[in-house]
Every structure is written in structure tokens, then in C-alpha cells.
């Protein structure tokens, strides 16, 4: 985990913050996400139909399930300055879903801090490049530019 503080955060611009631990994206997680969001599309939750009809040979995670992992994994990598009062998910500048995550695969986050933008009252935005990798796959699940508002 990176030791970012309010005083040294600028030193990390252009730097990789490393890779997170691997996270299992199993069918239970996919089903729970489907239940929570109401997105019950068969390609995510109907194992038999997906095995027969899906071009992926089985169920896949929702793209937004994969995207939802980014913020928590970024925090585990130390993106948030440890002495900040609060860190708020501010949004995304760009997201590309590149490769579907098949049920049972593992993913991890590669994260790089790519910019800082000052805001009012000493607050600032951290922009990071988030790449969600799939284990044993050359192509990532997604690449996103994410924004976090830092409140000192």
C-alpha cells in the first residue's frame, strides 16, 4: 500500500500505485449484484442458457459489477491520502469495457495517479488510470479514468 499524504500527494503524479490483490468474481457475487441492481439478464444469471447460447460459453459479470470493484480496490492501494478528512467518488472521465469477466475468474486493479486538480477550500481532485486485469488474460476487463474528491 502506498503512503500518500496531503503533503506528498503531488509526488505520486505519473506513478503507478501498484496492483491490488486478486478478487474472485464467482457466480454468487454476480447473482448478488443482479439481485441488488435488478439486472437479471440471462447472460449473467442463467448458467445453462449462457452455457448453450452465450458467445462466452457461460455467464459473465455485469460491466458495472466490474466497474464497482475499482473504488474499493483503489482505496486498498492507498489512493486516498491517509490524513484526508474524506474521499468522495467524484465520477469518471472515461470508461471502456474491453473484455467480459467470466464467472469464476479473478480480477485485480492496476492503478496509476495521472493528475491532480485544485478545487475550492483546499480540496482537490485526484485523477487515476484504473485498469482491471483478468487473471491469465492479456486483455483487461476495463480501463477507466476515475476521479476522487479529496477533502483535507
Amino acid at each position: 500500500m502506498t503512503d500518500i499524504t496531503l503533503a506528498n500527494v503531488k509526488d505520486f503524479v505519473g506513478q503507478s500505485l501498484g496492483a491490488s490483490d486478486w478478487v474472485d468474481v464467482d457466480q454468487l457475487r454476480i447473482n448478488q449484484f443482479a439481485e441488488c441492481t435488478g439486472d437479471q439478464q440471462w447472460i449473467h444469471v442463467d448458467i445453462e442458457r449462457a452455457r448453450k447460447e452465450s458467445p462466452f460459453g457461460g455467464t459473465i459479470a455485469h460491466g458495472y459489477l466490474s466497474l464497482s470493484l475499482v473504488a474499493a480496490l483503489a482505496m486498498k492501494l492507498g489512493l486516498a491520502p491517509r490524513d484526508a478528512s474524506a474521499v468522495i467518488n467524484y465520477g469518471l472521465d472515461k470508461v471502456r469495457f474491453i473484455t467480459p469477466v467470466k464467472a469464476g475468474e479473478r480480477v485485480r486493479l492496476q492503478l496509476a495517479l495521472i493528475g491532480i486538480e485544485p478545487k475550492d477550500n483546499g480540496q482537490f481532485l485526484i485523477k487515476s488510470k484504473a485498469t482491471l486485469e483478468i487473471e491469465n488474460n492479456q486483455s483487461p476487463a476495463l480501463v477507466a479514468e476515475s476521479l476522487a474528491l479529496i477533502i483535507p
Side-chain angles (χ1 to χ4, degrees):
M1 185 167 142
T2 308
D3 190 25
I4 295 177
T5 64
L6 294 169
N8 73 8
V9 66
K10 291 180 182 174
D11 298 339
F12 288 91
V13 174
Q15 302 291 319
S16 170
L17 302 184
S20 71
D21 292 335
W22 291 102
V23 174
D24 293 319
V25 182
D26 58 17
Q27 191 63 49
L28 177 61
R29 185 184 292 255
I30 294 169
N31 291 347
Q32 289 172 331
F33 189 85
E35 182 66 29
C36 178
T37 61
D39 183 349
Q40 299 283 340
Q41 186 182 37
W42 66 266
I43 202 159
H44 305 301
V45 297
D46 188 331
I47 296 169
E48 283 307 310
R49 183 175 177 191
R51 191 174 289 135
K52 293 175 188 172
E53 298 179 33
S54 166
F56 310 109
T59 56
I60 59 170
H62 306 71
Y64 286 117
L65 167 55
S66 298
L67 185 60
S68 75
L69 300 172
V70 170
L73 293 175
M75 295 298 279
K76 287 182 180 179
L77 285 171
L79 177 66
R82 62 177 163 78
D83 53 348
S85 294
V87 179
I88 299 170
N89 193 357
Y90 196 78
L92 301 157
D93 276 351
K94 183 177 180 181
V95 179
R96 294 294 178 261
F97 297 103
I98 299 167
T99 306
V101 178
K102 297 176 184 176
E105 289 187 316
R106 295 188 332 154
V107 298
R108 73 176 177 187
L109 185 67
Q110 287 278 352
L111 191 68
L113 198 147
I114 58 175
I116 295 176
E117 178 185 332
K119 298 300 243 181
D120 293 336
N121 302 319
Q123 299 175 3
F124 57 94
L125 287 178
I126 290 180
K127 181 185 260 189
S128 60
K129 180 181 178 186
T131 304
L132 194 68
E133 301 177 329
I134 304 168
E135 190 174 36
N136 300 318
N137 194 322
Q138 291 293 91
S139 182
L142 66 86
V143 177
E145 290 179 3
S146 63
L147 301 170
L149 179 65
I150 309 302
I151 302 172

